Amino acid sequence: MAGLVDLHTHTTYSDGILSPAELLQKANELGLKVIGITDHDSVNGIEESIEIGRDLGIEVVPGVELSTTIDDREYHILGYLFDHRDENLLQHLSSFRKERVRRAERIVKKLNHINVPLKIESVLEKAGGGAVGRPHIALALVEEGYIQTYDEAFAKYIGYGCPAYERKVPFSPEDAISLISSSGGLSFLAHPGKHTSDAVLPRLIKGGLDGIEVIHPSHSSKEISYYRGIVAQYFLLESGGSDFHGGGRDSNGILGACDVPMGWVEEMKKRLF
């Protein structure tokens, strides 16, 4: 059965615009039966989401999205079905979120130096207590009239190679995979079609990757077929989802719009249990 699963969503605990309750209610209205909550560097919405999902008859798959780097290029690793109460995991995520604030402060300083007088308070207000990221900076820039669109913020100021870009503290994909594995979970390469070269992919697989996010709004049908071939070749698992964040982002996926088979979730569970 397909069309009932979305394994890649974000809430207000990172850069989504819906709270866990609002996201689950929307998923319920759409008829979804399984949803993965994959906030950036945070599992703070998982427990709440599981409880709400139980009442609505929706299975919530514990998830997280970790940003890693190779040669200053970002690669995102999705973790699934881990113990979201694991102390080692929680300590790492807390550290990552603190560094996100420090990075945002450095970006704002760079913006100020090029005569964009954005204040860090505006960015933190956008984050609302969730994990701070460049999306919050982009939204603050739009709201205060320094740019016209969300994507313009990345293209003009905060994207890779732009004047206010600030690199993250290095954290390798292998370390992310190890962290997720140590808490009992599975690791998937997120949206590889965006920026993953054929040279990098073998390194990630060799590093212990359990699967690939085959279905993503950014993937063409050709890319989906290509990554399914990679999955079959290396006996990996498949995942997929909308990467739903909500309004204000031009590249949003539409919740539940990706045709993700229920069987993929069952295969993930079999690999672990």
Side-chain angles (χ1 to χ4, degrees):
M1 183 179 292
L4 303 176
V5 179
D6 194 329
L7 292 174
H8 193 162
T9 70
H10 297 273
T11 76
T12 48
Y13 282 102
S14 63
D15 54 349
I17 69 163
L18 301 183
S19 68
E22 292 168 333
L23 179 64
L24 266 295
Q25 186 56 50
K26 187 175 181 67
N28 186 53
E29 291 168 0
L30 294 170
L32 290 174
K33 296 301 180 185
V34 181
I35 188 166
I37 306 293
T38 53
D39 282 317
H40 296 278
D41 295 339
S42 178
V43 294
N44 291 341
I46 297 297
E47 195 69 39
E48 176 185 354
S49 298
I50 290 173
E51 292 179 7
I52 296 169
R54 189 180 296 118
D55 292 338
L56 295 174
I58 299 174
E59 178 183 357
V60 172
V61 176
V64 70
E65 186 167 5
L66 303 178
S67 298
T68 70
T69 55
I70 299 176
D71 299 328
D72 206 29
R73 290 287 187 176
E74 282 194 18
Y75 300 88
H76 290 194
I77 302 296
L78 290 162
Y80 291 111
L81 294 170
F82 48 79
D83 177 5
H84 59 281
R85 302 183 190 92
D86 181 83
E87 284 299 324
N88 182 53
L89 175 68
L90 293 176
Q91 288 175 12
H92 275 81
L93 295 181
S94 177
S95 176
F96 295 158
R97 291 195 299 274
K98 290 175 183 176
E99 175 52 35
R100 279 177 169 272
V101 175
R102 290 191 286 267
R103 184 193 189 201
E105 290 171 342
R106 297 194 298 271
I107 291 173
V108 168
K109 284 183 179 179
K110 285 188 172 183
L111 287 168
N112 294 166
H113 288 157
I114 56 174
N115 298 317
V116 179
L118 185 70
K119 295 183 182 299
I120 187 63
E121 290 79 10
S122 298
V123 176
L124 298 178
E125 183 180 345
K126 283 294 175 190
V132 181
R134 284 184 296 167
H136 299 116
I137 297 173
L139 293 173
L141 287 168
V142 172
E143 184 172 286
E144 298 194 9
Y146 300 117
I147 51 171
Q148 297 299 311
T149 68
Y150 174 91
D151 285 350
E152 185 185 350
F154 284 85
K156 188 174 181 179
Y157 292 124
I158 63 176
Y160 181 76
C162 293
Y165 177 77
E166 180 70 23
R167 67 180 298 178
K168 289 186 173 182
V169 172
F171 185 61
S172 74
E174 290 86 354
D175 286 340
I177 291 167
S178 176
L179 179 62
I180 293 165
S181 177
S182 69
S183 59
L186 298 168
S187 299
F188 289 72
L189 176 61
H191 40 65
K194 283 187 173 183
H195 40 50
T196 306
S197 69
D198 289 341
V200 168
L201 192 53
R203 167 181 165 169
L204 300 180
I205 294 171
K206 186 177 180 180
L209 200 67
D210 295 296
I212 294 175
E213 185 177 47
V214 172
I215 295 179
H216 185 270
S218 67
H219 289 178
S220 66
S221 57
K222 183 178 180 180
E223 286 173 322
I224 291 173
S225 296
Y226 173 74
Y227 289 115
R228 295 206 75 180
I230 295 293
V231 163
Q233 180 180 352
Y234 291 97
F235 303 100
L236 301 174
L237 296 165
E238 298 171 281
S239 72
S242 64
D243 203 355
F244 177 78
H245 290 78
R249 296 182 58 164
D250 294 347
S251 56
N252 277 355
I254 299 171
L255 184 65
C258 293
D259 200 19
V260 179
M262 187 75 77
W264 289 4
V265 180
E266 299 308 317
E267 289 301 316
M268 291 164 66
K269 292 177 181 176
K270 286 179 184 178
R271 183 69 61 94
L272 286 175
F273 311 124

